[in-house]
Amino acid sequence: MEERPIEYCPHCGEDLIGEKIPFNLREHYSPPYFSRLKIGIYNRELDRITHWQCPIYEGTWERK
């Protein structure tokens, strides 16, 4: 059984990992097969995600 990763919003403390993705839908996702609730903020000039956003608090923080 896969261990559930732990990640919390640095602003509000909400759990950002979500539920385990059902086996029959995993072909559409990358490991570790847990839905992620945080939102990636993409920078076109840098061609990468530079910040994350909490969907509950709506605060942002830099990607490390």
Side-chain angles (χ1 to χ4, degrees):
M1 183 171 158
E2 290 178 76
E3 187 174 319
R4 186 178 184 277
I6 299 172
E7 187 174 353
Y8 298 102
C9 172
H11 298 288
C12 67
E14 284 291 324
D15 183 7
L16 295 173
I17 298 299
E19 299 300 317
K20 193 169 190 175
I21 296 170
F23 186 77
N24 63 333
L25 297 177
R26 288 186 182 184
E27 67 185 85
H28 304 288
Y29 295 88
S30 299
Y33 303 120
F34 287 93
S35 61
R36 300 216 181 246
L37 303 178
K38 66 183 177 183
I39 300 164
I41 299 175
Y42 184 79
N43 182 315
R44 285 182 182 242
E45 291 177 7
L46 298 175
D47 192 27
R48 67 183 183 97
I49 293 173
T50 59
H51 290 76
W52 296 112
Q53 181 178 18
C54 174
I56 298 153
Y57 173 78
E58 296 183 1
T60 61
W61 63 95
E62 285 189 48
R63 176 183 171 203
K64 295 180 182 176

